[in-house]
Structures are given as C-alpha cells and as structure tokens.
Amino acid sequence: MTKDSCYHCGDSIIGKAISFDQHDFCCNGCKSVYQLLNDNQLGSFYTLEAKGGSKPSVSNQHKYAFLEVESIRNKFIAFEDENSAKIVLFLPQIHCSSCIYLLENLAKLLPAVYSCQVNFAKREASITFDPAQLSLGELALFLDKIGYAPNFGNRNQTEKKLDKLFMYKLGIAGFAFGSIMLWSFPEYLGIDDTDANVRNFTAFLSLGISIPVLFFSASDYFISAFKALRFKSLNLDVPITIGIIALYLQSFFSIINSEGPGYMDSFAGFIFFLLIGKWFQNKTYKSLSFERDYTSYFPVAVTRLTDSKEEIIEIEGLKIGDVILIRNEEIIPCDATLLSPDTKIDYSFVTGEATLITKKEGDFIYAGGKLSGKAIQLQVLKESNRSHLTQLWNDVKSEKEVATTFNVQDQLSIYFLVVILIISGIAALAWSFIDLQRVTQIVVSILIVACPCALALSAPFTFGNTMRALGRKGLYLKNTRVVEQINGITDIVFDKTGTLTSSSFQTIEYSGDILTSEELSMIVVLANSSTHPLSQGIVKQNQAISTVELELLHFEEFQGKGISGSINHRTVKIGNAAFTGQIEKEKNETSTYISIDGAIFGRFIFTSLLRNGVASLLTSLPHYRLHLLSGDTEKDKQLFAELFPKNSTLLFEQTPQDKLNFIQQLKANGNRVLMIGDGLNDAGALGIADVGIAVSEDVFRFTPSSDAIIEASKLGELNRLISISKFAKTILTTCLIFSLAYNVVGLSIAISGNLTPLVAAILMPISSITIVFITTFMMRFKAN
C-alpha cells in the first residue's frame, strides 16, 4: 500500500491521513469498517482484493426510517416468523469478489444475521436475519455504512442507467471508428504521398478522437484485466487489454513522429466490434439465464374456488382477492389471509426448521409454507410466481453431486489463454527478424482472433438448449446440471401408484357395511384434505355428494399408512387395514379401509390403470437396470413381472423409508440412480437419488426435493426424452471440434501476417454466434 491512498477503499488521501493499526485511511468511516472487519477475523478481505472496499456512507441515522412503517416494510419482506425474516436486496455497489466475500460473511459482523447469499450477476443479496434483534431499517443502514447501500427504488430504472452507459461507450467507439475511417481516406487514396500536411492533420484528428475511446469505451476491459492480474489469474480480457495497449501505443508514437496514423482506424474499429460482441453476449446470457430458470417451466398450479366450484389454475393466474383451497402437504403459493379456523403450517422449506407454526383465522400467511393438516381456504393478498417460491427455500435445499463439464471447460479456457500468450510471444520474436514494423499488428491479431469464447460457451448453451427442448416435450429440469446427471444414470427406480398407474382409476368399488349419506359425506370431506391419488380417487367417485354442512375439525396424515380426522365430533380413518384396526381381506388388491369411531365399515377397492405408453417404455430401456418400489400389496406383481425385464427388482409393501434405504444401497454400490415418483410418499427417495423426477398430474405440486418434473401424459416418452438429454454430448463434441478448427485456422492466418486486428475483432463475436447457431439447430433437429 502507498501512503497516499486509503488502505480500505483505495481513494487518494487529501490532507492528513487517519492512521490506525499501521495503515492509513482517508476518513473515519473507512477506518471504522477496517476495524469492524479486523475485530471479526475478516482481515483476509484485503488479501482477496487490496483497496477493494466500498467507501462507507455518511448518511444520518434516519435515512431508512421509512422501513419501520409496517405497510412499507411488508412490501419488501419475503418471509417472516417469530425467529427469522428473509429479504432480497438489490445492492448496485457489488462489483468484485471482495464484495461477495464481505457480504457472505455478514453474519460475522452482525450476529442477528443468519445467512447472506449473493447473486453476483443480479447484484442481489438474499439475507435471513432475526427481526427481534435487528430491524430492517438497521440492516439497511449497516449495509449503507459498509458501502453497500440497498436500492429500494425502481430497479429497472437503475439497470437502464447502466445499460445506457454501455450504449454511450458503444456509440462513442462507433463514432470514432467512422470518423477515423473518413479521415484516413486521403492515405487510402494515396494523397498522403503528395500532401504531408493533410496526412499529419488527419492523423492528429484521429489521435484526438481516440482518447475517449481508450479511456471511456475500453475502460471495462482495463478494469477487468487489472483485477484478474491482481488475483494472479487470467481471464479473456487480459490478452484483449494487451492487444489494445500495444495497438494504441504503436499508433500513438507513429502519429507523434509524423509517420502517419498508424493503426488508429483498426484500434477504434477493434473497440467498436468488441463492444458489439459484448452487447451480443450480454443479451445471450440473459436469455440463457432464463433458459436455466427451472421456475420458467415448472407447472405449479393451485385450486381456486369460484362460486364454490373448484378450478385448477397456474399460480401466475391468481389475482388479489381470489380464494384458494390448499390441501395437506400442498405449498402455499402466495402471501394470503387465512379464512379457515386454526391450522398448522410447516415452513421448513424456508427456514430449515421443522417446527409447525399455528395460524388462526384472519392471520397473515407468507408464501412458501406447507400445510400440515386439514384443507384450508386462503384469500390472496399478493400476486406471486414460481420464481418467488424457489427463492424462498433456495438456502435450505440439499446439495447433490455437482457435474464437472463447466469446471473442466473453464479450466481449459485458462490454459488456452496461457498458450495464446506464449504463441504471441514467439510470433513477435519471429516477426521482429522478418518485418519489425508489423510485429504489433500480428501480435494483436493473434491475441484477438484466438478466442476461447466458443469453447467456454459450448456447455452452457448446449445444456440451456437441452433444457428448453425437454421443457417443450413435458420434462422440466431444475437446472442445466441435471442434464449431465441424467447422462450418467445406470439404474432407474419407479414408484407404482400415481407413477406407472394413473390417478384416474378404471373402477372404484366399495365393499362392506352400507354407508349412510352422512357417513359417505364425512369420508369425502376427509379424503378431500389429502392429495394422495387414492384419496382423490374417492373424491372424484363421489363428487356429487354434498359436504356443505360438515366441518373437518381435526386432520392428520400418517405417511405410508393413512389419514385421520374429526368430523361432527366423530373420528374417521381412511388407510390400510392395520391403520384402521382391521384384518386385511385380500392381500393382492389395492384398497383403502374405512373406520368411523373405531367401528369397522369396509373398504374401497381400486382397479389401477397403466398410463399410456408405460408398457412400451419398460421394454425400451435395455441399457438401464430397472427397479419397482411400491407401497401397495403384490396384487399387480404378476402384471409388472411380465412388463419389466427379467433381471429387474420388484418390491412391494415398501414404506417411504424402505424406498430411501434401497436407493442409498444402490448408490453405495457405485450405481447412479434415477428415481421417478409422484412426489408424495416418495419425497425422501426423490431427494436422495442422483436425479429425482416427480410425475405431475391433476394438482400440480411444488416438489423441492425433485430435480425435474414430468407431465404424467409424457411418462411413456421418457426414453426419448433421455435420448434428447444424451444428445447434448454429441453437440458438445461438435462445438469442441468447431472451436479447435476456428482457432487453428485463425491462428495460422494471423501468424502468417494475413489478418488485421479489425478483421480479428469481427471474427471473435462471430465465433460465439456460430456456437449459438450450432447448439440451437442441432438440438431442434434432434427434438423434432
């Protein structure tokens, strides 16, 4: 550190420095932040990026007082209970890895903060904190003091300002390029040989207009390269910056020495086309981010009540004031008011804590909770979307093994840059003996044309297009990593009920004591609070039964056993024989037994119907070991024994824990497992599998433990969908061959001296565009 710059923020020290702990600071604010970091063992912040801190604000203590107004505060809080609150803040000052390091260690600076996760691309920080110890206003003020003032205004306008700044840079570079080309016409036409004054005048004009191009239009490349070198690493901007400096300096000295304009036209055009390429890549990455967004395709829907009639709509269709019906185990999709009596909500997806929270009629309920108990009615207070839901429980999701293609290609890009710098050095040495005046032009051409962009873009674009193609076919992937995970699968495990068989049963037959209309109504009311396919089958079979006068006072679902509830002070149970206190009548049948106040009544017998295409699907997967895990009896064992390959494992009467243990054992043996279930009793198995696919049918359920969702009607096409995913490998290979061919040919021409920097700058973004075309065309060809 130099004595004339601040140790924290790097600003010049005007006047007397403030010294502390053998360091100089420009103000008390920077000294206070340094002291705060040092006291909390975060001094390594400065080893990541020296002088990387943001200058703290001197704002007064009342700057964020408006956040203490309840109505305003509630607009920004995404979730809150007695122990925690979650908020996503837009922090425009986030600019480097030091910022990420500091913010993600916010909990060490503020004990009331539980966690902070930074989305660098969006400049967002998702913060979970204790509202009893820290108010939202205090949190915002603290962030402001350490240099990261939250933006509570119009985010779109802020981002538009940044976009506008970039367009100014592009416009100045374009204007300079056109002007220099115009002023260079005399030299192009040979006039310079007869009029040296004209030649020198136009050259100095070019020099003058090049200055804002160098210091304004090209500034992002200098900053990026400087930070990379400070971290003792390389990025694409390092060779580009070297090329910019070399090209400019040679042109500058040529003009000063009255030797002509040098390569100033190539310099301005070089920056102009680089910025065009950057603009294109930014647009592409925004599109790619959308393609990666699992929530963009996730078919989450909810039951809306209209004139006492139920209708299923996607949650984006909900409007403020709508009344929705939520059943046991369903996710609450939006902030709402509870219209039903007391209920219990499980917010473990949001907080990580499994404690049930009791809510009373009229209480405000945040989105993201899972109902535990009888069905409830809610009135929508705030419109929601699928992205909002995933953001809520993003912190507590389980992490699976991460694929490596992205990391490998990023590493290859670094090695590629090192090799290019070596090649350019060798070429410079060789051409210094051939033609010294052309060394700069050739080195710059080599640095620019040899672009690792095509290599780096191959994986994200290929997997992004794969996600989009699969989404159009009815298989919605959580992220691009799932594509790679699917490609490594060795074993496929199927659930039966609700997965291989349809929730719409062929017949539902009741056997037992005659039920009165009241008793049948109570059974329907209880079954309607559960999302299990057998419960919903009973409801559909008896949908004409009136249940208006009945009230479900208590509800409880026992996973893998059945459901129990209190209706009109009578206890009703629906489930297996043991759960209802009965003796199993027929082992080889799918049935649910009924008991009311302990009295045995009878059972509903279900004849299951295979989904369309399942039979052909099971014969079209010869490259995988297939397994069937069912919680039902062995009634259908012979049927599935004929459908599954002979070496398949068929296990019945499996509890959810049995399924989870079976998959764990497969993985322990080195197998990679794809689990397909209905997302109900299979949540644990879906979560532990390498890839978990939830089958979605009538009531779309958000299943955080799954990696993908498949439309029930598309299950028979699973093999084709897997083949589309595997085709990504072919696309990657094609992109790799193109990238290598492009670089070999481009380097050969550049080294031979037959490529100008201007043409190289045009070719570089074209190579990226070509990768987009290859991945998009090949995936569409495969998917159609």
Side-chain angles (χ1 to χ4, degrees):
M1 298 291 174
T2 59
K3 292 292 184 181
D4 58 350
S5 63
C6 177
Y7 183 77
H8 174 70
C9 69
D11 283 357
S12 298
I13 298 176
I14 301 175
K16 185 177 179 180
I18 299 174
S19 298
F20 177 78
D21 198 19
Q22 298 182 342
H23 299 300
D24 292 337
F25 302 91
C26 64
C27 64
N28 279 310
C30 286
K31 186 199 82 169
S32 298
V33 175
Y34 166 81
Q35 188 175 4
L36 185 64
L37 292 169
N38 207 45
D39 291 345
N40 287 275
Q41 290 77 49
L42 291 175
S44 55
F45 169 79
Y46 298 100
T47 64
L48 288 174
E49 182 162 349
K51 305 179 185 180
S54 295
K55 199 175 186 69
S57 170
V58 294
S59 58
N60 62 61
Q61 297 295 314
H62 304 290
K63 181 176 181 179
Y64 297 101
F66 67 92
L67 293 174
E68 307 305 325
V69 179
E70 196 68 18
S71 58
I72 298 176
R73 177 182 182 277
N74 290 340
K75 292 180 179 179
F76 300 106
I77 293 290
F79 167 81
E80 184 174 24
D81 61 13
E82 295 178 355
N83 302 315
S84 63
K86 174 173 280 205
I87 186 170
V88 179
L89 296 175
F90 176 44
L91 308 178
Q93 291 81 8
I94 294 175
H95 68 284
C96 66
S97 58
S98 295
C99 300
I100 298 174
Y101 174 80
L102 175 59
L103 290 169
E104 292 197 339
N105 282 280
L106 195 61
K108 294 182 179 180
L109 304 178
L110 284 175
V113 172
Y114 297 134
S115 69
C116 179
Q117 290 189 333
V118 177
N119 185 324
F120 182 75
K122 294 183 178 180
R123 282 173 290 182
E124 287 181 345
S126 176
I127 303 173
T128 304
F129 62 98
D130 185 351
Q133 299 183 45
L134 183 71
S135 71
L136 179 56
E138 291 171 337
L139 173 62
L141 185 61
F142 181 83
L143 290 169
D144 193 327
K145 285 183 176 179
I146 64 174
Y148 301 96
N151 187 311
F152 291 100
N154 190 320
R155 176 171 178 170
N156 290 334
Q157 289 184 359
T158 303
E159 291 180 335
K160 283 180 180 178
K161 288 181 180 178
L162 296 175
D163 290 340
K164 187 180 292 185
L165 181 64
F166 178 81
M167 296 309 294
Y168 283 147
K169 293 180 178 181
L170 179 62
I172 287 175
F175 174 76
F177 174 51
S179 299
I180 294 174
M181 288 290 290
L182 181 64
W183 296 329
S184 298
F185 264 109
E187 185 173 355
Y188 294 152
L189 298 175
I191 299 177
D192 57 310
D193 293 333
T194 57
D195 195 338
N197 291 329
V198 172
R199 180 190 187 198
N200 290 334
F201 176 70
T202 57
F204 275 97
L205 280 178
S206 300
L207 177 61
I209 204 171
S210 71
I211 294 175
V213 176
L214 178 69
F215 291 103
F216 180 62
S217 297
S219 59
D220 288 343
Y221 294 100
F222 294 141
I223 294 171
S224 176
F226 176 71
K227 288 183 177 181
L229 293 175
R230 177 179 284 178
F231 280 110
K232 298 179 180 179
S233 65
L234 290 175
N235 62 17
L236 179 62
D237 292 334
V238 171
I240 289 177
T241 302
I242 294 173
I244 291 173
I245 294 173
L247 196 61
Y248 189 82
L249 287 179
Q250 177 167 351
S251 301
F252 175 81
F253 286 114
S254 293
I255 294 171
I256 294 299
N257 294 327
S258 299
E259 297 174 358
Y263 299 109
M264 202 59 77
D265 53 346
S266 294
F267 163 76
F270 174 44
I271 301 298
F272 177 59
F273 285 108
L274 279 179
L275 292 176
I276 288 179
K278 188 174 182 180
W279 172 84
F280 168 78
Q281 288 184 346
N282 287 340
K283 290 292 183 181
T284 304
Y285 276 122
K286 286 182 180 179
S287 173
L288 182 59
S289 176
F290 176 81
E291 295 297 346
R292 286 182 180 180
D293 191 355
Y294 174 56
T295 61
S296 302
Y297 300 116
F298 206 4
V300 177
V302 67
T303 303
R304 182 172 63 185
L305 298 177
T306 306
D307 298 328
S308 299
K309 294 182 179 180
E310 298 181 6
E311 61 173 334
I312 297 173
I313 64 167
E314 292 194 29
I315 63 174
E316 280 83 359
L318 288 177
K319 303 297 181 184
I320 296 175
D322 284 350
V323 176
I324 58 177
L325 177 70
I326 303 295
R327 297 181 176 85
N328 182 49
E329 297 290 309
E330 285 187 349
I331 300 298
I332 297 168
C334 56
D335 295 347
T337 300
L338 180 62
L339 301 179
S340 302
D342 295 3
T343 191
K344 293 185 182 297
I345 307 295
D346 175 7
Y347 275 109
S348 60
F349 287 150
V350 182
T351 65
E353 301 293 333
T355 306
L356 296 178
I357 299 174
T358 301
K359 293 292 184 179
K360 299 179 180 179
E361 184 176 354
D363 281 355
F364 177 87
I365 297 181
Y366 283 101
K370 183 176 69 173
L371 177 63
S372 179
K374 61 184 179 181
I376 59 173
Q377 293 184 16
L378 300 167
Q379 186 170 39
V380 177
L381 292 180
K382 188 186 294 184
E383 295 178 4
S384 188
N385 56 55
R386 291 165 274 195
S387 297
H388 174 62
L389 287 178
T390 44
Q391 179 65 49
L392 286 173
W393 48 66
N394 221 18
D395 291 348
V396 297
K397 65 184 180 182
S398 60
E399 294 294 335
K400 297 187 178 179
E401 185 178 344
V402 178
T404 59
T405 295
F406 290 93
N407 299 332
V408 170
Q409 293 205 346
D410 289 343
Q411 198 66 36
L412 284 175
S413 297
I414 297 297
Y415 292 144
F416 181 88
L417 290 173
V418 173
V419 171
I420 293 307
L421 290 174
I422 294 173
I423 291 175
S424 62
I426 295 173
L429 182 62
W431 274 93
S432 64
F433 293 102
I434 301 171
D435 187 348
L436 185 61
Q437 292 185 346
R438 298 192 62 192
V439 169
T440 301
Q441 174 191 343
I442 290 168
V443 169
V444 172
S445 297
I446 292 172
L447 292 173
I448 304 309
V449 76
C451 176
C453 294
L455 179 64
L457 289 176
S458 297
F461 270 97
T462 297
F463 294 143
N465 277 299
T466 303
M467 281 186 64
R468 179 170 60 181
L470 292 175
R472 289 173 175 171
K473 298 292 183 181
L475 177 61
Y476 310 101
L477 305 186
K478 192 171 190 177
N479 52 50
T480 53
R481 304 288 185 187
V482 181
V483 178
E484 286 191 279
Q485 290 166 338
I486 289 177
N487 292 343
I489 291 302
T490 60
D491 292 64
I492 300 178
V493 178
F494 292 94
D495 173 50
K496 183 174 81 75
T497 304
T499 303
L500 295 179
T501 61
S502 173
S503 298
S504 303
F505 295 90
Q506 191 172 23
T507 60
I508 302 177
E509 180 185 351
Y510 175 74
S511 175
D513 296 344
I514 298 176
L515 297 169
T516 65
S517 60
E518 181 186 10
E519 291 167 341
L520 183 57
S521 296
M522 289 191 294
I523 293 170
V524 173
V525 169
L526 178 60
N528 198 36
S529 285
S530 172
T531 54
H532 194 279
L534 299 182
S535 298
Q536 288 301 300
I538 294 174
V539 174
K540 289 180 181 179
Q541 179 83 356
N542 300 280
Q543 57 186 347
I545 298 295
S546 175
T547 60
V548 176
E549 298 179 0
L550 300 179
E551 182 180 1
L552 181 60
L553 300 176
H554 172 76
F555 175 89
E556 191 169 3
E557 186 159 352
F558 301 86
Q559 197 174 64
K561 296 179 180 179
I563 54 179
S564 174
S566 176
I567 306 171
N568 288 4
H569 305 290
R570 302 183 69 181
T571 301
V572 182
K573 288 186 175 183
I574 306 174
N576 60 35
F579 178 71
T580 57
Q582 302 183 48
I583 299 174
E584 198 166 29
K585 300 291 184 181
E586 176 60 50
K587 187 174 181 63
N588 293 325
E589 70 177 13
T590 300
S591 58
T592 57
Y593 291 76
I594 307 296
S595 72
I596 301 177
D597 290 332
I600 298 171
F601 274 75
R603 68 191 191 279
F604 286 95
I605 303 170
F606 301 84
T607 301
S608 56
L609 178 67
L610 282 177
R611 294 193 188 278
N612 290 332
V614 164
S616 59
L617 169 66
L618 296 176
T619 60
S620 66
L621 299 168
H623 304 297
Y624 304 96
R625 289 183 290 271
L626 304 186
H627 312 271
L628 176 65
L629 302 181
S630 174
D632 296 338
T633 63
E634 296 184 351
K635 175 180 72 76
D636 297 321
K637 185 173 183 178
Q638 184 58 39
L639 169 64
F640 286 102
E642 295 174 359
L643 295 175
F644 275 77
K646 291 182 179 181
N647 60 343
S648 301
T649 304
L650 306 180
L651 298 177
F652 293 85
E653 299 184 60
Q654 298 289 294
T655 66
Q657 186 61 43
D658 291 336
K659 296 179 181 180
L660 189 149
N661 293 340
F662 182 84
I663 291 177
Q664 283 182 323
Q665 186 58 49
L666 286 176
K667 294 181 67 176
N669 294 334
N671 301 317
R672 299 186 61 83
V673 184
L674 167 64
M675 169 69 188
I676 304 175
D678 59 11
L680 297 168
N681 295 332
D682 305 319
L686 289 170
I688 198 66
D690 294 289
V691 178
I693 300 181
V695 178
S696 177
E697 194 168 14
D698 289 342
V699 179
F700 299 122
R701 292 162 45 88
F702 197 98
T703 310
S705 58
S706 67
D707 299 294
I709 282 184
I710 187 171
E711 293 178 10
S713 62
K714 303 295 184 181
L715 182 62
E717 301 177 25
L718 179 64
N719 187 40
R720 170 165 164 71
L721 299 179
I722 292 177
S723 70
I724 291 175
S725 177
K726 285 183 172 292
F727 189 66
K729 284 186 177 181
T730 303
I731 297 178
L732 277 177
T733 302
T734 304
C735 291
L736 178 61
I737 293 172
F738 167 80
S739 179
L740 291 175
Y742 163 80
N743 282 287
V744 168
V745 173
L747 279 172
S748 300
I749 298 174
I751 292 172
S752 68
N754 295 313
L755 187 67
T756 65
L758 181 61
V759 175
I762 296 173
L763 289 177
M764 188 177 69
I766 289 178
S767 68
S768 300
I769 296 172
T770 305
I771 286 295
V772 175
F773 174 78
I774 290 174
T775 57
T776 303
F777 175 79
M778 291 186 68
M779 184 51 65
R780 286 189 177 181
F781 176 80
K782 175 67 176 178
N784 290 335

